[in-house]
Each structure stands twice: as structure tokens, then as C-alpha cells.
Amino acid sequence: MQYLWTFLVGGTLCAIAQVLIDKCKLTPARILVIYVSAGTFLAAFGLYEPLVQFAGAGATIPLTGFGYTLAKGVSKAIAEKGALGILTGGLSGAAAGITAAIVFGYLAALLFRPKVKK
């Protein structure tokens, strides 16, 4: 049953983004910023954690989950380091995901030949 909820929540978040792309004049980059910011704000007010507990990867993998990870990292770093944690916590919390994106992006660039759009 957990797989079903993960699929439904993650799919709903992605479907909302697709509707925003199709029906609004928002660019994908703006939607990215909206999703990351929404995840951060929802995490800051304690509203995203119940969704993560309910849907697991369906809530943490979409872009809102990245905002949640940043907020969670900042919160933990503030508790450990004080005000300095505001500057360091987000990157510390999301370091594994950022590193994976860089490494796999580099590998994809090595393995595949990019084509120029005309």
C-alpha cells in the first residue's frame, strides 16, 4: 500500500507542475523556484513532515522535497551551530543529492553526445 501512496502523492505533485506549465504563462524555471520555496516554507511550519511520513519518496523526490531537505538541514545546523547554521545547514543537508546530481550529470555528458537544437 505504501507504494501506491508514494506513487499517488509524487504523481500529483508532478501533475500539478505539468498543469502549471500547460495552462499558465509560468516557465519551468519559475515553477521550480515555486516548488522549492513551497517545500521550504511548508517544512518551516511543520506541514511537510506529515506528508513525508505518509508518502515517503513520493514527497521527498519531487522539487518540494528538495526545499524540505534544505529547511531540515538548516534547522538541524541552527540547533548545533547557532546562527552560523543558517548559512551552512542547507548545503550540508542536501550535500548527497547535490553531489549525485553533479556526478550523474557529468557521467551523462561523457556517455552521450549533446545535439544542438535548431
Side-chain angles (χ1 to χ4, degrees):
M1 196 64 176
Q2 180 65 40
Y3 292 124
L4 177 65
W5 289 118
T6 299
F7 175 76
L8 290 175
V9 170
T12 300
L13 288 170
C14 293
I16 292 168
Q18 189 63 49
V19 168
L20 289 173
I21 290 171
D22 293 343
K23 300 295 181 187
C24 298
K25 299 245 185 245
L26 295 173
T27 63
R30 288 187 180 176
I31 294 169
L32 178 145
V33 171
I34 290 168
Y35 264 45
V36 172
S37 299
T40 304
F41 287 120
L42 290 172
F45 293 112
L47 300 173
Y48 205 75
E49 183 67 31
L51 186 62
V52 169
Q53 295 300 321
F54 176 72
T60 58
I61 298 298
L63 288 170
T64 51
F66 183 65
Y68 163 76
T69 302
L70 290 173
K72 191 171 155 185
V74 169
S75 176
K76 181 179 176 186
I78 288 173
E80 293 174 358
K81 301 176 185 174
L84 182 61
I86 296 170
L87 301 174
T88 62
L91 287 178
S92 297
I98 294 169
T99 302
I102 292 170
V103 168
F104 291 123
Y106 180 72
L107 289 175
L110 290 176
L111 294 174
F112 302 102
R113 188 174 300 268
K115 296 178 183 172
V116 177
K117 291 184 179 182
K118 296 178 182 182

